[in-house]
Amino acid sequence: MKKAISIAIVFLLILSECIVVYASIDDPMFQDWYVCVGISGYSYEGKTFEPGTRFQVCDYYDNVDKYGLWRNNSRSMILVTESDLNEFFIGDNDYVPAESGDKLDREIKCEIDSEDGLTLRNGPGRGFIAIITMPHKAELTYQYTYENGGYTWGFVQYDGISGWCSIDYTTPLEAAIEDESDKDKDKSGDGSTAQTEKGSNVVNIMAMLTVIVVALTVLAIIKMVRKK
């Protein structure tokens, strides 16, 4: 009975063209973790795997030339071609390129205001692999952004490492610089006003002295005329 069941199972597998040929465990290709990327994730047979979902290559199907990816070590498996693997998935040491996001018209400088630091990930989303934690007050620069999961992500570099972080937990440094510039302008404006007022006072004093001198001169002339 057991033998008949085994033969039936093998026969069904042959019919479905899903004979699994397991790779050698020593093959490094089948030990890497991959992360689903792309604007809308990856869809297979009506099921969509969101960007950031982690997969591990664990076996392959020789007769359909496709790779099998296991989702989070569960039994939920999808099949993707090698070209799909290159397009929709990235490895542990790779990251979603900056060009996947929206390019701003200029670079923005900012600093991390989270006291616990900020996680640098290899993609714009909380599901992507965490690379390092950047410290509080670390200064960053970004020009590409991506909206995902209710957060705005920026493509940054820190200590020579590239990746994505949520810029919602940063403070733009340009605003602080502009504020200081405004203060300087205000200060220079106050100085100019003071100098103008001081100049006006000097002119008024000189005018009064001139009037007094002219008046004294006129009085002196009148006295001289009366004596004659």
Side-chain angles (χ1 to χ4, degrees), residues 124-161:
R126 298 184 67 180
F128 286 93
I129 298 171
I131 303 173
I132 57 171
T133 298
M134 301 176 290
H136 177 54
K137 292 294 184 181
E139 294 188 4
L140 308 170
T141 302
Y142 64 90
Q143 191 171 5
Y144 289 88
T145 61
Y146 187 90
E147 301 289 337
N148 186 23
Y151 296 92
T152 300
W153 302 82
F155 186 85
V156 303
Q157 273 195 341
Y158 177 77
D159 200 22
I161 303 174

Side-chain angles (χ1 to χ4, degrees), residues 2-20:
K2 291 182 179 179
K3 187 176 180 180
I5 294 175
S6 299
I7 294 174
I9 291 174
V10 172
F11 181 72
L12 290 173
L13 288 174
I14 293 174
L15 289 178
S16 61
E17 295 186 342
C18 286
I19 298 299
V20 178

Side-chain angles (χ1 to χ4, degrees), residues 177-190:
I177 294 173
E178 289 175 1
D179 290 343
E180 291 297 326
S181 300
D182 292 339
K183 289 179 182 178
D184 292 338
K185 289 178 181 178
D186 292 340
K187 289 177 181 177
S188 64
D190 292 343

Side-chain angles (χ1 to χ4, degrees), residues 30-105:
F30 297 95
Q31 297 174 357
D32 290 336
W33 279 92
Y34 289 83
V35 178
C36 183
V37 295
I39 300 302
S40 57
Y42 179 80
S43 296
Y44 175 76
E45 292 187 347
K47 185 173 183 180
T48 299
F49 296 87
E50 297 298 327
T53 304
R54 295 192 68 182
F55 296 85
Q56 185 181 30
V57 174
C58 61
D59 53 39
Y60 65 91
Y61 295 75
D62 60 346
N63 57 332
V64 291
D65 195 25
K66 291 186 177 183
Y67 296 98
L69 301 179
W70 295 86
R71 182 184 183 191
N72 296 332
N73 285 329
S74 72
R75 306 301 293 181
S76 175
M77 186 175 68
I78 63 172
L79 300 178
V80 297
T81 63
E82 185 175 5
S83 60
D84 284 344
L85 187 65
N86 294 332
E87 181 178 357
F88 293 101
F89 299 86
I90 60 173
D92 258 341
N93 299 322
D94 300 323
Y95 53 81
V96 179
E99 291 74 17
S100 297
D102 298 320
K103 186 176 182 180
L104 305 177
D105 57 356

Side-chain angles (χ1 to χ4, degrees), residues 25 39 169:
I25 195 171
I39 300 302
Y169 297 98

